[in-house]
Amino acid sequence: MTVTKRTRLRLIGAAGPAVGTLVLSTLALGACGTAAVPGAGHGAGPAATPAPPTPLVVATRSSPPPPPCTPEGIAVSMNEPDAAMGLRAARVELRNCGQRPYRLNGYPALRVLDDRRQPFNVTAVRGTRQVEDAGPEPLTIRPGRTAEFVIVWRNTVTEADTVAVAGTYLEVRPAPGRPVVIVPADGPIDLGNTGRLEGTAWRLPTR
């Protein structure tokens, strides 16, 4: 509630009584307290600054380094396996990084190696019904171009007393008489104790 007060003062001077009237300005008195005035007072500190939001860090999977170019003028790499219902499939790519055409025909010779590059007792089967396999076909891979094949296996463990196979490397002989290339597996070649690896023939990329 606001109370308005008008006050009259009688002024007396030395030359004689003189009467004047001074009307004081209206005083607004807050009956229930005093309203806060922004910026008033000496004890108020600066407004608190909200802390910046914590940046979201998303972990990313590092890409493997590119495969080296061998003296034969090829670079061979293995992609990360696709897995479904215990079935695994991985694409192995050969890139001609040399200066001359590179010729292929048929199935590569394969061996699964452990982390010391020693072979497991695994049977590499030429041909598979799990993925499309057109069979042997003569191919000429020109410099800068690629060819590929697909390996297929199942991660099945049926014998508890047999050590399950988890290969670290894949040894690839592209064609008879050609030097082998040892390819790091992008994810283990986990055959369980099936002892079987299937593969397609060389083909041009389908993607």
Side-chain angles (χ1 to χ4, degrees), residues 15 19 36 76 90 108 116 124 128 137 145-146 166 185 189 193 195 200 204:
V19 179
V76 184
R116 296 177 297 172
T128 179
E137 179 183 0
R145 300 299 181 89
T146 62
I189 307 175
N193 50 35
T200 70
L204 297 179

Side-chain angles (χ1 to χ4, degrees), residues 5-31:
K5 181 177 181 182
R6 297 175 62 87
T7 306
R8 294 179 180 272
L9 295 181
R10 185 178 179 84
L11 301 180
I12 302 175
V19 179
T21 302
L22 175 66
V23 179
L24 295 182
S25 61
T26 301
L27 300 179
L29 302 179

Side-chain angles (χ1 to χ4, degrees), residues 138-153:
L139 301 175
T140 299
I141 314 305
R142 300 190 179 281
R145 300 299 181 89
T146 62
E148 67 181 23
F149 67 91
V150 177
I151 54 175
V152 182
W153 69 94

Side-chain angles (χ1 to χ4, degrees), residues 38-160:
H42 299 284
T49 303
T54 303
L56 178 64
V57 178
V58 180
T60 57
R61 187 177 184 273
S62 58
S63 300
C69 190
T70 70
E72 283 277 295
I74 60 172
V76 184
S77 60
M78 174 180 164
N79 284 13
E80 182 180 7
D82 291 330
M85 302 294 290
L87 180 68
R88 309 282 198 264
R91 184 170 54 85
V92 181
E93 182 182 87
L94 178 150
R95 181 174 61 88
N96 185 345
C97 53
Q99 302 297 323
R100 297 180 299 176
Y102 192 87
R103 291 177 174 81
L104 297 168
N105 188 1
Y107 294 88
L110 306 174
R111 291 202 301 177
V112 180
L113 311 181
D114 63 15
D115 57 354
R116 296 177 297 172
R117 304 193 177 192
Q118 297 301 308
F120 286 102
N121 184 19
V122 171
T123 300
V125 180
R126 293 184 173 186
T128 179
R129 295 182 178 179
Q130 307 298 330
V131 296
E132 183 180 355
D133 180 16
E137 179 183 0
L139 301 175
T140 299
I141 314 305
R142 300 190 179 281
R145 300 299 181 89
T146 62
E148 67 181 23
F149 67 91
V150 177
I151 54 175
V152 182
W153 69 94
R154 287 192 178 275
N155 178 21
T156 304
V157 178
T158 57
E159 302 174 11

